[in-house]
Amino acid sequence: MEKYNLFQKVWRHHSVGLLDNGQTQLFVGRHLIHEVTSPQAFGMLREMNLPVRYPERTFATVDHIVPTDEVKEPYSDPLADAMIKELRENCAKTGVTFFDIDSGKQGIVHVVGPEQGLTQPGMTIACGDSHTSTHGAFGAIAFGVGTSQVRDLLATQTLALSPLKVRRIEVNGHLQPGVYAKDVILHIIRKLGVNGGTGYAYEYAGDVFDQFSMEERMTACNMSIEGGARVGYVNPDEKTFAYLNGKPYSPKHENWEKAVTVWSSFASDKGCDYEDIVLFNAADISPTVTWGINPSQAISVEEKIPDPRELTGAEASSAIEALDYMKLSAGSDIKGTAIDVAFIGSCTNGRISDLEEVASKLNGHKVKTGVKAIVVPGSQVVSKIAEEKGLDEIFKNAGFEWRNAGCSMCLAMNPDKLIGDQLCASSSNRNFKGRQGSPTGRTMLMSPLMVAAAAIRGEVADSREVFSN
Amino acid sequence: MPLEKISQVRGQAVNVPGDDIDTDRIIPARFMKCVTFDGLGEYLFHDVRYDSKGQPRDHSLNDPRFANASIMLSGTNFGCGSSREHAPQSLYRAGFRAIIAGNFAEIFFGNSINLGMPCVSISEDQRKQLAGIIEESPELDITINLLDSKIHASDHQFAFKLKDGARESLINGKWDPIDELLGKGEAIEEVAKLLIYK
Ligand code: SF4
């Protein structure tokens, strides 16, 4: 019998046919939208006089522009206010389900999809947002698209696409204590490069991914795009099914058994072909921190900031540019770099398990005076669970601000921004120049626990030392 | 509506050097608060073109010699970062009709082709040469010819790479797939029916 990987199976299952230019017309079963990339698409649809073809397959939330300290509308920013109103109206007119602010379900689109059970194995999922790769944690083929493609999806539920090659990335062995999914993915990107994955889907596997919880798998898949891979996925297994069981949009009753059988059939066949296979040893991974202006510019917290003179070619020139921007000096310890802001949140690390892990260690610790530390839950569901468990109090007692759900300081399209050249220890996914709202603001990416360690020490610190007792 | 058949792009070029120019650099996120793409051109490369007081900095896009450029030359991994079409849209609305770079991030590439804005790749040596030519004669019109897959800059020619599917869809006026997608209504419904999820 022919053997196929998950990507190939899902692709074939959703393929409508070939287009004139040789691309595939791919049916996208689940479409997620948010306020930043959808209004222009609805506008294009109106201009072309086209209806939304399958409104029941599109779900909307508002995340990027929502203030996390005020809930009341109108928002103080009139542009943000116009965007939420536009989305609300577009959804109401076309019959698209909208998880509005008062729904109790609002949040970052990549947190909301899985927790509502909208993300399931074997699906094709698209969203006008590059971190859509997150949903691959469930064994779905999920990818970010541009706004014209959001239009194509609304109008036809299909896209013109070319298939990807599949690279299997295995991380085997055991992670050291204090090393998290975030460190694993930063390590992978450091080794394979920010465009190492161009043209590829990454299939994550091995002992570490087998043992990871669904939320840890989401953290890793989330950052696939930072390695240039548009898609990242993990084959569905018992953990996937257990996570989905009972979620609001998961199949129910007699449909459940059938769904699990179909879902299982999408997993990559043993012995199937891959374009290539890359192996990592879990023991080589330490708590990791970025020092530069792209996510591959990362080192373990024990290392020294690289010296561009020891690098060659493009790596050297981009290191010079990065150190200049980051105001860091080559050859010094990354540990001890003073920070101004600490941000725990985003679609990478704003889930309940992230908050629980940090809260479990905070006892007796306080955020260093002068450091602004904020926790922004990934969704209202996450907020609610956290508050029921009293995590908000633990964070507040330790000196963190406890905010409402949204993207917040991940890209600062709302009022949460860095000021001047402030340096932020951040659990988000991008450290590009100006990413956190100030054109000279600086970002260091790390795991949530490392962010907390930095907040407490006021400088980059090894979480294993800070939380040793 | 039939689309323009794009077999060449001709115009002045400007060099914006650097590798890994990401979408946040092309258009900072704070300018993406918009419900239409109109007016995005104004903010192209905003934070590298202007200082914190809004004063223009020394940047090729502020150089009057290149004010009419419609072709951009840059480094490798151009357009990495987000999937937001705001980046190619801001380039397009600032008057750019083609990009030449070492290579492109995938989503950016696709978004640009969908706008009818070819993104062609050339080697580092070629980029250096071309940058030299542009610097020497800023007013020179260069031609990106999709038919012979070469950039023509006065007497020089540079063979470029452009994915086959993309090249053909530009040349045949099929760079925006919407009509073809819409035409397959029944086939779409067939696939939808076979899925276990709604
Ligand atoms: S949290 Fe950040 S990366 Fe994720 S969707 Fe929001 S802005 Fe994008």
Side-chain angles (χ1 to χ4, degrees), chain A residues 34 63-64 108-111 129-132 134 222 226 343 345-348 406-413 428-430 435, chain B residues 82 84:
Chain A
H34 60 68
D63 48 12
H64 289 66
I108 307 171
V109 62
H110 312 307
V111 177
D129 194 285
S130 47
H131 293 99
T132 309
T134 313
N222 174 272
E226 309 311 333
F343 170 60
S346 87
C347 58
T348 318
C407 295
S408 177
M409 212 176 251
C410 175
L411 101 164
M413 274 185 82
S428 57
N429 46 42
R430 286 196 171 139
R435 169 77 178 180
Chain B
S82 88
R84 286 181 291 267

Side-chain angles (χ1 to χ4, degrees), chain A residues 13-16 18-21 25 27 29-30 36-37 39-40 44 48 50 53-54 56-57 64-65 77 79-80 82-83 86 120 122-124 128-130 144-149 151-152 155-156 158-160 164 194-195 198-200 225 228 230 258-259 262-263 293-294 314 318 321 411 413 417 430 432-433 435 437 439, chain B residues 18-20 22-25 28-37 40 46-48 50 52 57 76-78 80-86 89 93 103-107 110-111 114-115 124 163-166 168-169 172 174-198:
Chain A
H13 194 60
H14 290 82
S15 168
V16 175
L18 284 185
L19 298 167
D20 288 350
N21 67 2
Q25 181 173 13
F27 191 86
R30 191 74 87 216
V36 183
T37 54
Q40 308 85 353
M44 294 173 192
M48 300 175 81
L50 291 170
R53 178 68 183 81
Y54 295 91
E56 70 282 7
R57 290 185 177 275
H64 289 66
I65 53 101
D77 176 352
L79 291 171
M83 290 171 86
E86 181 89 9
Q120 297 166 18
M123 283 184 170
T124 44
D129 194 285
S130 47
V145 295
T147 294
S148 298
Q149 291 176 307
R151 173 205 63 184
D152 296 349
T156 71
T158 65
L159 291 175
L164 299 168
V194 279
N195 48 24
T198 305
Y200 284 90
I225 189 70
R230 197 170 180 182
K258 183 178 157 215
V262 175
W263 291 346
I293 50 173
N294 76 51
S318 79
E321 186 188 353
L411 101 164
M413 274 185 82
K417 297 181 198 315
R430 286 196 171 139
F432 299 154
K433 288 180 177 177
R435 169 77 178 180
Chain B
D19 294 329
D20 303 318
D22 59 69
T23 48
D24 286 358
R25 193 106 50 100
R30 65 184 185 283
F31 299 118
M32 298 191 312
K33 280 185 217 152
C34 55
V35 291
T36 76
F37 288 132
L40 273 191
H46 184 277
D47 291 348
V48 275
Y50 302 99
S52 55
R57 289 192 231 241
T76 55
N77 199 27
F78 189 83
C80 59
S82 88
S83 61
R84 286 181 291 267
E85 199 168 306
H86 299 68
Q89 285 279 359
R93 280 160 204 266
N103 59 332
F104 297 87
E106 214 161 292
I107 306 183
N111 286 340
N114 274 186
L115 293 178
E124 192 174 353
K163 265 192 232 152
D164 273 350
E168 270 128 43
S169 53
N172 299 329
K174 297 224 165 156
W175 35 270
D176 183 340
I178 186 77
D179 286 337
E180 209 183 342
L181 296 179
L182 280 166
K184 304 279 167 64
E186 278 173 34
I188 295 174
E189 193 52 41
E190 288 303 308
V191 172
K193 272 197 227 141
L194 290 177
L195 302 180
I196 61 158
Y197 63 104
K198 283 245 168 27

Side-chain angles (χ1 to χ4, degrees), chain B residues 19-162:
Chain B
D19 294 329
D20 303 318
I21 291 188
D22 59 69
T23 48
D24 286 358
R25 193 106 50 100
I26 297 171
I27 175 105
R30 65 184 185 283
F31 299 118
M32 298 191 312
K33 280 185 217 152
C34 55
V35 291
T36 76
F37 288 132
D38 308 345
L40 273 191
E42 221 180 296
Y43 305 113
L44 182 67
F45 283 93
H46 184 277
D47 291 348
V48 275
R49 289 173 71 182
Y50 302 99
D51 66 17
S52 55
K53 296 190 186 72
Q55 292 305 310
R57 289 192 231 241
D58 184 21
H59 189 277
S60 53
L61 290 177
N62 292 334
D63 186 334
R65 294 180 299 156
F66 302 111
N68 294 321
S70 59
I71 295 171
M72 185 174 288
L73 171 65
S74 192
T76 55
N77 199 27
F78 189 83
C80 59
S82 88
S83 61
R84 286 181 291 267
E85 199 168 306
H86 299 68
Q89 285 279 359
S90 68
L91 284 159
Y92 192 87
R93 280 160 204 266
F96 287 94
R97 290 297 175 268
I99 316 288
I100 305 168
N103 59 332
F104 297 87
E106 214 161 292
I107 306 183
F108 177 91
F109 178 88
N111 286 340
S112 300
I113 300 299
N114 274 186
L115 293 178
M117 183 165 72
C119 290
V120 304
S121 306
I122 58 176
S123 70
E124 192 174 353
D125 277 351
Q126 292 175 317
R127 293 201 303 279
K128 278 198 185 127
Q129 269 195 58
L130 187 56
I133 296 171
I134 297 170
E135 185 53 40
E136 221 158 84
S137 0
E139 70 298 334
L140 177 75
D141 269 349
I142 70 168
T143 302
I144 298 176
N145 189 333
L146 300 188
L147 299 174
D148 67 3
S149 292
K150 287 194 179 105
I151 299 166
H152 301 258
S154 68
D155 308 342
H156 301 267
Q157 295 189 6
F158 306 95
F160 63 72
K161 286 203 199 90
L162 173 64

Side-chain angles (χ1 to χ4, degrees), chain A residues 161-213:
Chain A
L161 288 172
S162 305
L164 299 168
K165 297 174 279 190
V166 181
R167 168 175 298 151
R168 183 171 163 96
I169 298 179
E170 282 185 30
V171 185
N172 288 311
H174 288 283
L175 292 175
Q176 307 167 39
V179 177
Y180 294 90
K182 181 62 154 289
D183 304 304
V184 171
I185 189 64
L186 282 172
H187 183 83
I188 291 172
I189 297 166
R190 173 187 182 185
K191 297 295 178 192
L192 300 182
V194 279
N195 48 24
T198 305
Y200 284 90
Y202 281 172
E203 175 178 301
Y204 301 105
D207 306 335
V208 166
F209 280 89
D210 289 345
Q211 279 150 28
F212 268 167
S213 69

